[in-house]
Amino acid sequence: MGNPESRLSRFPIPGHALGARVGHWFTGLLLLYCLFLIQTLLSPYGPDLVLLVLLTIAMRESRFAAALLGFLAGLCLDLASPHSAGANIVVYAGFAYVVALVRGFLNPSPWHTLIFISLGLLLRYAVLSIVRALPPGSFGSSPLTSVTVAAGLTLLLALPAEAVISRTLYRRWKSS
Amino acid sequence: MGTWPDRAAWLLLLLGLALLLLPQPLRFRLTAPLQTWVLAPLRALTLLGRNVARLNAENQRLSRIAAELAVENARLLAVTEMSTPAPSSPLELVRSPVINRDLATQKQYLIVSRGSRHGVRFGAPVLVAEGIVGRTVSAGEHQSLVQTILNPDSRVAVANTRSRLLALARGGKGPELVLDYVPTQLTSPQDTDFRIGDTLVTAGLGDVFPRDLGVGTVTGTEEKPAALFKSVRARPFADIARLDQVFILRVPDSVGSSLEDGWLDNLRPAEVAMPEE
């Protein structure tokens, strides 16, 4: 994960580089899993934390790594709602792959973050509504209310969350 | 898109699509084993939450039972001494959560969220399973003010269970009671003294507390030479500083007709008065 040359130069002994890589992957997976649990607890009105993490990772990692993490994140969410199993996998893996694919053509900018998040949310709710798996509203409210609240919170948290996750995983405050 | 990472990424996407297109029963069968492991922390949290709620409810139920048993125990003790038959007790305890305390000491006054609407009256005894807490000095519709026994203005007639000596307990400076009018050894017979470790119960004098409800335990005595009375300190059984709920004894309106065993005799309306000195 990350720029292999810059990372390897910090580790003259080859084993250390492998250990650092494994540790980095483990941290990323652990962060993804914890945020998945929090997102499930806060559902249906909570922000899409998994999407925020995937965006940060996809802006830095390879297409395969991004797609793999998207697949695992989508799988966890599908296990929480098995009647729509597969939908979240398609959404998150596809989203992460596309972001990793196009990021090379863009200069890093907060607007790109917001646009990507908006497109990711649109894709997710479109696919979920097609398979009729939109999260139901609570306390008598309609699914549209919960979707609007969740999407609003996700966009609100997009930039600060990207900074924090970037710092946690890559020790940098923004994407380079 | 010809490199192996891209093909692998597309393969993952196709896997997801294939899972989505599978019939639902097959989807459930495939995901069920993974579901147990992935969702285990969430299930544990939910179970923990339910257990905490269940234990809280059980705790409240047992606290109420303990307080009722304490009251019934006191009543039966009095009945045993009088050698009269023990009819069933219609007394009711009103569980009252503590919602506020006095800011200065946190121990002298409590506000509880039960009032006249729940049958609480002015001057009602307030207690917990361990012992008495105080009495209500004001009762609104939904809330009541409780003056605890640690309040310097509070006065409770107590009796030593060992020597049957009587004294008047009031709130002291700290978290202890001070007993007044305790005669010194010079003026009282032997073995009728207060000793450290003696248990104090309500004497059943006055019009607030019935007899034999737990008050506290003697923690120290201070004898002044040539004095008629000495100072006795006691620690209340009830941990007033940490109470989050109390029980208010709802005494029936017609005390005399409801109970024949004499335990609440001191709570009847006064018919005679002490002669003025």
Side-chain angles (χ1 to χ4, degrees):
Chain A
M1 282 180 123
N3 183 347
E5 283 185 6
S6 67
R7 287 189 174 267
L8 280 173
S9 65
R10 291 162 51 198
F11 302 100
I13 301 168
H16 282 194
L18 180 63
R21 200 178 287 238
V22 167
H24 193 61
W25 265 91
F26 180 75
T27 308
L29 284 169
L30 191 64
L31 183 66
L32 209 56
Y33 183 64
C34 292
L35 290 179
F36 148 70
L37 289 175
I38 295 170
Q39 183 174 324
T40 310
L41 280 171
L42 297 176
S43 175
Y45 293 103
D48 197 334
L49 300 168
V50 168
L51 196 70
L52 297 173
V53 175
L54 277 179
L55 175 70
T56 311
I57 291 174
M59 294 291 269
R60 289 164 184 77
E61 301 298 333
S62 66
R63 293 191 289 274
F64 172 68
L68 180 62
L69 285 169
F71 176 86
L72 292 172
L75 181 63
C76 288
L77 284 163
D78 282 333
L79 289 173
S81 54
H83 57 278
S84 63
N88 285 301
I89 291 176
V90 168
V91 166
Y92 286 109
F95 169 78
Y97 179 76
V98 167
V99 169
L101 187 67
V102 303
R103 74 160 195 259
F105 304 107
L106 304 167
N107 293 321
S109 155
W111 290 111
H112 294 144
T113 303
L114 291 172
I115 290 167
F116 277 133
I117 292 292
S118 305
L119 290 173
L121 287 169
L122 203 66
L123 176 68
R124 183 171 181 231
Y125 292 127
V127 171
L128 289 180
S129 60
I130 288 168
V131 300
R132 292 184 191 162
L134 272 180
S138 300
F139 312 111
S141 61
S142 69
L144 191 60
T145 311
S146 62
V147 161
T148 311
V149 171
L153 283 172
T154 308
L155 285 168
L156 209 64
L157 288 173
L159 294 175
E162 202 214 354
V164 170
I165 297 164
S166 178
R167 177 69 181 160
T168 306
L169 289 177
Y170 300 100
R171 299 189 185 194
R172 271 174 252 150
W173 282 109
K174 45 190 179 176
S175 54
S176 56
Chain B
M1 298 241 183
T3 58
W4 75 263
D6 284 312
R7 285 184 202 145
W10 275 100
L11 186 64
L12 291 171
L13 270 167
L14 286 170
L15 261 174
L17 202 60
L19 189 61
L20 187 62
L21 296 172
L22 281 175
Q24 215 169 59
L26 191 58
R27 234 188 286 165
F28 283 153
R29 213 185 304 168
L30 283 171
T31 55
L34 280 174
Q35 209 179 26
T36 314
W37 291 101
V38 170
L39 299 180
L42 279 178
R43 289 208 172 107
L45 265 172
T46 314
L47 206 64
L48 186 68
R50 276 194 208 137
N51 277 343
V52 167
R54 186 180 57 81
L55 287 170
N56 272 338
E58 185 71 6
N59 188 34
Q60 282 177 7
R61 191 182 71 86
L62 290 172
S63 294
R64 168 183 282 283
I65 291 174
E68 285 171 355
L69 286 171
V71 167
E72 188 65 14
N73 187 42
R75 194 184 71 79
L76 289 173
L77 262 173
V79 162
T80 307
E81 285 178 9
M82 291 179 190
S83 301
T84 53
S88 60
S89 168
L91 293 177
E92 195 180 325
L93 289 172
V94 179
R95 188 183 74 84
S96 310
V98 175
I99 57 172
N100 208 346
R101 296 170 172 275
D102 62 293
L103 287 175
T105 63
Q106 306 274 311
K107 288 191 285 287
Q108 292 181 10
Y109 285 103
L110 307 173
I111 293 180
V112 297
S113 60
R114 295 290 183 271
S116 55
R117 198 179 172 130
H118 307 92
V120 175
R121 295 189 305 190
F122 170 82
V126 179
L127 52 97
V128 288
E130 292 85 359
I132 62 168
V133 172
R135 67 183 183 112
T136 56
V137 292
S138 173
E141 194 180 344
H142 299 286
Q143 294 176 357
S144 302
L145 180 66
V146 174
Q147 181 190 63
T148 69
I149 54 175
L150 292 176
N151 190 302
D153 296 330
S154 160
R155 299 287 184 274
V156 180
V158 297
N160 187 328
T161 53
R162 181 183 54 82
S163 61
R164 297 312 303 179
L165 202 63
L166 299 178
L168 199 62
R170 59 176 170 85
K173 282 182 185 171
E176 285 193 323
L177 297 167
V178 174
L179 272 57
D180 294 325
Y181 305 114
V182 176
T184 60
Q185 286 284 42
L186 294 173
T187 55
S188 67
Q190 296 291 332
D191 293 332
T192 57
D193 198 358
F194 282 82
R195 293 178 198 160
I196 292 175
D198 281 350
T199 299
L200 304 173
V201 295
T202 51
L205 305 173
D207 58 357
V208 178
F209 296 103
R211 285 182 57 172
D212 293 318
L213 291 173
V215 176
T217 186
V218 176
T219 54
T221 62
E222 199 180 305
E223 202 149 338
K224 292 172 187 169
L228 282 176
F229 300 109
K230 64 180 175 183
S231 175
V232 175
R233 294 186 311 280
R235 189 186 69 246
F237 288 132
D239 190 357
I240 292 172
R242 292 194 183 139
L243 292 174
D244 54 7
Q245 72 174 10
V246 294
F247 294 92
I248 301 177
L249 195 60
R250 195 153 79 179
V251 178
D253 287 330
S254 53
V255 172
S257 60
S258 298
L259 292 168
E260 299 299 330
D261 59 10
W263 184 53
L264 295 180
D265 278 352
N266 64 308
L267 303 191
R268 294 186 199 208
E271 294 172 5
V272 294
M274 288 289 173
E276 286 182 21
E277 293 171 9

